[in-house]
Amino acid sequence: SHDLHLLSAICSRIIVLEKGKLIFDGKSVDAIRRYMELIAGDNQSPYIEEKESELKSWNAYLQKENGTKSSIF
């Protein structure tokens, strides 16, 4: 997501990708700072933290009380 306010409210940990490569994995406040630096073009920041790891993905969805999937919450 690119909704930084929502991410900071619901996530304690965030990853930041650049061109599909994991460049940050950590606390949401630090990840948002890193993302903002990235889109501003500041690659000399002390917050740059490159990590090599395998990216894993999973499916997630919201579920209403009646058990049906929802994209709105």
Side-chain angles (χ1 to χ4, degrees):
S1 174
H2 291 88
D3 185 337
L4 303 181
H5 181 71
L6 177 64
L7 286 174
S8 67
I10 65 172
C11 300
S12 61
R13 177 176 165 242
I14 297 174
I15 63 171
V16 179
L17 304 174
E18 181 178 27
K19 298 178 184 172
K21 182 180 177 187
L22 177 67
I23 61 168
F24 186 87
D25 179 351
K27 293 180 181 178
S28 59
V29 66
D30 296 329
I32 290 170
R33 182 180 300 121
R34 178 64 193 112
Y35 174 75
M36 295 300 292
E37 291 167 350
L38 181 67
I39 63 172
D42 180 9
N43 290 322
Q44 301 303 314
S45 168
Y47 296 103
I48 294 175
E49 181 179 337
E50 294 195 20
K51 293 185 177 184
E52 292 201 18
S53 70
E54 181 179 326
L55 180 62
K56 296 178 182 177
S57 64
W58 60 92
N59 291 325
Y61 61 90
L62 302 171
Q63 184 172 323
K64 295 179 183 179
E65 288 181 20
N66 65 7
T68 61
K69 291 182 182 178
S70 174
S71 61
I72 301 171
F73 67 102

